[in-house]
Amino acid sequence: MPIRALAALLALTGTAALTTALASAPAAAATEPPNNPGRPVSGDLRVHDPGLVRGEAGEPWYVFGTGDGAHRDGTIQIRSSSDGHEWRLAGTVWDRKPDWITREIPGVDNLWAPEVHEENGTYYLYYSASTFGSNRSLVALATNTTLDPEDPDYRWVDRGKVFESFPGDPYNAIDPGIVVGADGRHWMTFGSFWSGIRMVELDWPSGKAKPGAPVLHLADRQQPPNAIEAPHIMARGGWYYLFVSLDSCCRGADSTYKIAVGRSRDVTGPYRDRRGQPLLRGGGTVIASRSGSIVGAGGQSASGGLLAYHYYDTALGGDFRLALHPISWTWDGWPRLD
């Protein structure tokens, strides 16, 4: 499908996933992009919707990314690095999507927007499945006790469905993000277009949505097509910071994605931007937008003081790349990307 025709569909979908057409576009050479922002990175950087796990004290780094329908049935891709600078493709979570996902979401091509949360020696991998233009979507879970594929215990175990949405629901169950509140309760943010960013409490340690838990509302653009998605919350200094992607991804050089943030003293909100505007009423302080040949920054996650996101580079024909950007902080406690 032509990219411009696909873009028209994406304006209605609110997905942070990469389209099959874009994923199969010719890749530029696997080397450092001419205008890579933030931390210098090189190697295989063709990552969309990165979920970062920063290695500490000499441990490997990992980035999980949206799958490509033409490669291993569109399952989640994994890249690794010994130092966070040079990256290589390290495989996929599985060789094929779980059969139950195809039954639940007919026509699903690839799995989207992974997020990894580690707790008590278990890695919880959340990801989403959907089709463009539909909110018949779901978030699913896999677990592992190690991220090292050379470890004899390495095995991604399919844990099934976490949460789902159906036509008629006011939300879209994609783009999961996990956060633990000060009281130890676990929450999953999600959402893409429709009514914006939502949150549901998780049962722990199962990692599934708590039965009967209310679906909370965190952010809303308040105007069609409600182009806000990819929520990620990080805690710092008594605040919870909600990062979101605004506007449209997946259009190559025509992408208008940008990263914005709000904060709250309570993990469940209300979130406000630096001007005091509620994110539920269209607020959001933009911290990454177009800069030179770099456009469409979004699909973010945070780990170890870094914000991972993808962007499109007009100097590479609009192809996408991974950025790892150190987060610095203003005197009054707001994140920025220098």
Side-chain angles (χ1 to χ4, degrees), residues 3 18 22 25-26 46 250-255 293 295 311-321:
I3 295 300
L18 183 61
L22 187 56
R46 208 163 182 265
C250 311
R251 300 183 180 188
D254 295 326
S255 300
S293 71
V295 301
Y311 65 93
Y312 306 88
D313 197 332
T314 61
L316 298 175
D319 204 15
F320 58 92
R321 290 293 185 271

Side-chain angles (χ1 to χ4, degrees), residues 10-15 170-172 191-197 225-229 247-248:
L10 288 171
L12 300 176
T13 65
T15 177
Y171 46 77
N172 191 14
S192 176
F193 289 52
W194 269 262
S195 61
I197 304 304
N226 208 358
I228 182 171
E229 58 188 358
D247 300 330
S248 297

Side-chain angles (χ1 to χ4, degrees), residues 12 123 127 130 134 155 162 173 179 182 205 207 229 248 258 265 315 338:
L12 300 176
Y123 293 91
Y127 60 91
S130 187
S134 171
R155 177 172 174 257
V162 173
V179 61
E229 58 188 358
S248 297
K258 54 184 69 71
R265 289 292 188 184
D338 293 327

